[in-house]
Amino acid sequence: MTKKRRPYIKRYVKTSDGSTNFDVDSKPVPPGKKVVITHWSAKDETSAFTALQIGIVRQGYFHVLEEEKNPNADTWYWSKSEIHVYEGEVIRTRFVGTTSGDKLHVHLDGYIDEVNF
């Protein structure tokens, strides 16, 4: 562990606009840094929906790492693995098929560290 490592904890609560895909994105990882997500969880508090996808936006393309089909309403779903995200990349949680006005939650826990080359 480097001396520069510090906790990375983000909590997002968004309201769906009823789009086919509603994305909850983090800010891009800063230059010279990497983020390691050790726990990633999400839920639609209001209603059931079609799918939940988690992944990384890298060079403008959404890379889906995990997907849960037909998640239940007000039920937490979480990642099954550690995820490494590097400078310029964005952590994305995609809610597919939500209803307008749904209350969406995303929790990201891990750490941010310097990249040593």
Side-chain angles (χ1 to χ4, degrees), residues 3-117:
K3 294 178 183 177
K4 304 288 183 179
R5 182 181 289 185
R6 61 187 192 278
Y8 183 88
I9 300 168
K10 302 293 179 190
R11 303 290 184 257
Y12 301 97
V13 179
K14 302 285 184 175
T15 302
S16 172
D17 61 4
S19 302
T20 301
N21 297 327
F22 189 88
D23 296 336
V24 178
D25 289 349
S26 71
K27 291 182 180 175
V29 176
K33 305 287 185 189
K34 76 172 181 177
V35 172
V36 177
I37 300 299
T38 56
H39 181 81
W40 189 339
S41 56
K43 75 173 180 175
D44 181 335
E45 181 181 309
T46 316
S47 62
F49 53 110
T50 308
L52 174 66
Q53 298 173 332
I54 58 174
I56 299 169
V57 178
R58 181 179 294 141
Q59 297 178 340
Y61 180 76
F62 180 40
H63 300 270
V64 177
L65 301 174
E66 295 182 25
E67 181 175 34
E68 180 72 34
K69 299 277 190 179
N70 301 313
N72 296 317
D74 202 24
T75 302
W76 285 103
Y77 292 88
W78 58 90
S79 63
K80 297 164 181 65
S81 57
E82 187 173 273
I83 300 164
H84 294 250
V85 188
Y86 295 92
E87 68 176 73
E89 297 176 346
V90 172
I91 303 162
R92 174 171 286 169
T93 305
R94 176 172 281 172
F95 295 84
V96 180
T98 60
T99 304
S100 182
D102 282 0
K103 191 172 181 182
L104 311 173
H105 297 263
V106 176
H107 291 186
L108 303 173
D109 295 296
Y111 59 89
I112 188 166
D113 203 354
E114 290 184 345
V115 176
N116 297 317
F117 293 104

